[in-house]
Amino acid sequence: AQSVAQPEDQVNVAEGNPLTVKCTYSVSGNPYLFWYVQYPNRGLQFLLKYITGDNLVKGSYGFEAEFNKSQTSFHLKKPSALVSDSALYFCAVRDGGGATNKLIFGTGTLLAVQP
Amino acid sequence: DGGITQSPKYLFRKEGQNVTLSCEQNLNHDAMYWYRQDPGQGLRLIYYSQIVNDFQKGDIAEGYSVSREKKESFPLTVTSAQKNPTAFYLCASGTVRGTEAFFGQGTRLTVV
């Protein structure tokens, strides 16, 4: 079965510092991996994805993520955090070889950036 | 504007009543999904549909029903059998062979 783990309920970082939000996954086939961001009482916005190719993928708002197959991880990173980055972040996975394209989500990590 | 529209944004239900949440998309996507979001539990899949007139149960389908009579529409009914319906409900769509899903703005359902 597919699953995603986000081990940190909350990450605190000072503005201007680098940030990392962790994600590990389990999938039987080739993983398709995603990061989404959610602001209060809003839907999810797509940030970036890994399907194949370079392990470092770049996405919206200066975010990037590194796919590590041996560690089954897909951590979200940003070199310099902004207060406006404060939000709830979700990692998601689907089985690239599966019969459906439904996404399985982690429990989310709340990112708090202090000024 | 292209996108996914959920309505209403807020919905209040009395115990024992059925309510229907609307989800419409004009992205020409074949696949549509309903997720439920509770604090600390992430998003859990209720139902999904990959083609008109066909849908499958997700992980927490009990107490919910859906229909897919049109490609653009995937309404979710929360029935009186759902014992704890208060939650934030998110609809999403995507292409069947595609990758990421696109989300609506959500409906917050509260039982009063």
Side-chain angles (χ1 to χ4, degrees), chain A residues 32 34 36 38 41-46 49 51 88 90 94 99-108, chain B residues 9-10 31 33 35 37 40-43 45 48 50 88 90 95-96 98-101 103-105 108:
Chain A
Y32 287 5
F34 308 85
Y36 286 82
Q38 184 182 36
N41 293 311
R42 304 297 297 275
L44 274 65
Q45 295 179 29
F46 170 74
K49 65 183 176 184
I51 305 301
L88 187 58
F90 288 98
R94 65 166 280 209
T100 73
N101 56 352
K102 61 179 181 177
L103 297 177
I104 305 300
F105 285 84
T107 52
Chain B
K9 188 173 177 66
Y10 299 96
Y33 312 85
Y35 287 89
Q37 183 178 13
Q41 296 194 50
L43 277 69
L45 184 64
Y48 64 101
Q50 298 201 106
F88 191 51
L90 289 160
T95 58
V96 173
T99 54
E100 68 269 28
F103 283 80
Q105 294 303 298
R108 186 166 297 282

Side-chain angles (χ1 to χ4, degrees), chain A residues 43-98:
Chain A
L44 274 65
Q45 295 179 29
F46 170 74
L47 278 179
L48 51 80
K49 65 183 176 184
Y50 171 83
I51 305 301
T52 186
D54 289 341
N55 290 342
L56 184 65
V57 293
K58 295 187 183 296
S60 306
Y61 313 119
F63 284 94
E64 57 190 28
E66 185 168 12
F67 171 64
N68 187 317
K69 187 174 183 177
S70 62
Q71 297 185 6
T72 62
S73 67
F74 189 57
H75 301 331
L76 181 70
K77 299 180 180 183
K78 187 174 183 181
S80 179
L82 300 172
V83 173
S84 57
D85 292 330
S86 298
L88 187 58
Y89 290 81
F90 288 98
C91 182
V93 67
R94 65 166 280 209
D95 183 347

Side-chain angles (χ1 to χ4, degrees), chain B residues 32-52:
Chain B
M32 297 187 74
Y33 312 85
W34 274 106
Y35 287 89
R36 170 178 170 144
Q37 183 178 13
D38 296 282
Q41 296 194 50
L43 277 69
R44 294 181 289 168
L45 184 64
I46 305 172
Y47 269 97
Y48 64 101
S49 168
Q50 298 201 106
I51 194 170
V52 174

